Amino acid sequence: MTLDLGHCAFFKEVSIIKDLSERVRTLNNVIRSLILELGPKLFLVHAHNVDPINWKDCVSLPRGVIDFNIVIDALVDVEYKGFFVIELEEREAKDRALESGEFLSGMLSKMR
């Protein structure tokens, strides 16, 4: 299975929440729960983030509301051995891609 992190922001149980801090908390809990539930079935993670201002996805990994510490910790818990695809739709594509790649590399060092 593929888990698209940013698209989890549009799940009904997340998107109906009006309070931003509660929506962010719920989003991160949903992502963690999905990783733990999918476990060995998970083989691809589409890594991108969600802008807290306009709730738009496909933003640079360190620039949004998804807590990648939670993501990586859950992936470690399920002994994830799959792939990552960084998915961005930003004007400063090259800079944001480099930023996201460096950020993800740093986070993945926790998995070793």
Side-chain angles (χ1 to χ4, degrees):
M1 301 196 85
T2 298
L3 178 58
D4 191 310
L5 299 177
H7 291 182
C8 294
F10 304 102
F11 290 180
K12 185 176 182 178
E13 63 265 39
V14 175
S15 63
I16 63 169
I17 300 171
K18 302 241 185 280
D19 178 72
L20 180 61
S21 61
E22 180 64 22
R23 189 184 319 160
V24 168
R25 188 186 68 73
T26 301
L27 170 60
N28 284 293
N29 287 339
V30 164
I31 290 170
R32 184 179 189 287
S33 295
L34 283 170
I35 292 169
L36 297 177
E37 185 177 329
L38 292 172
K41 296 176 187 169
L42 188 60
F43 74 91
L44 179 64
V45 173
H46 279 205
H48 53 115
N49 218 322
V50 178
D51 186 317
I53 296 170
N54 59 17
W55 210 249
K56 180 189 177 300
D57 66 334
C58 297
V59 299
S60 181
L61 274 57
R63 295 177 179 262
V65 298
I66 294 174
D67 184 337
F68 278 88
N69 289 303
I70 291 171
V71 172
I72 298 301
D73 288 347
L75 291 170
V76 167
D77 288 347
V78 299
E79 299 178 5
Y80 182 68
K81 303 283 189 249
F83 299 96
F84 292 85
V85 173
I86 296 174
E87 182 179 358
L88 302 176
E89 295 176 8
E90 298 202 73
R91 291 177 188 245
E92 302 157 341
K94 183 177 178 182
D95 292 339
R96 295 296 76 85
L98 290 171
E99 173 184 75
S100 292
E102 289 173 7
F103 179 81
L104 184 58
S105 291
M107 295 302 293
L108 293 178
S109 68
K110 291 176 62 174
M111 295 183 76
R112 296 188 178 124

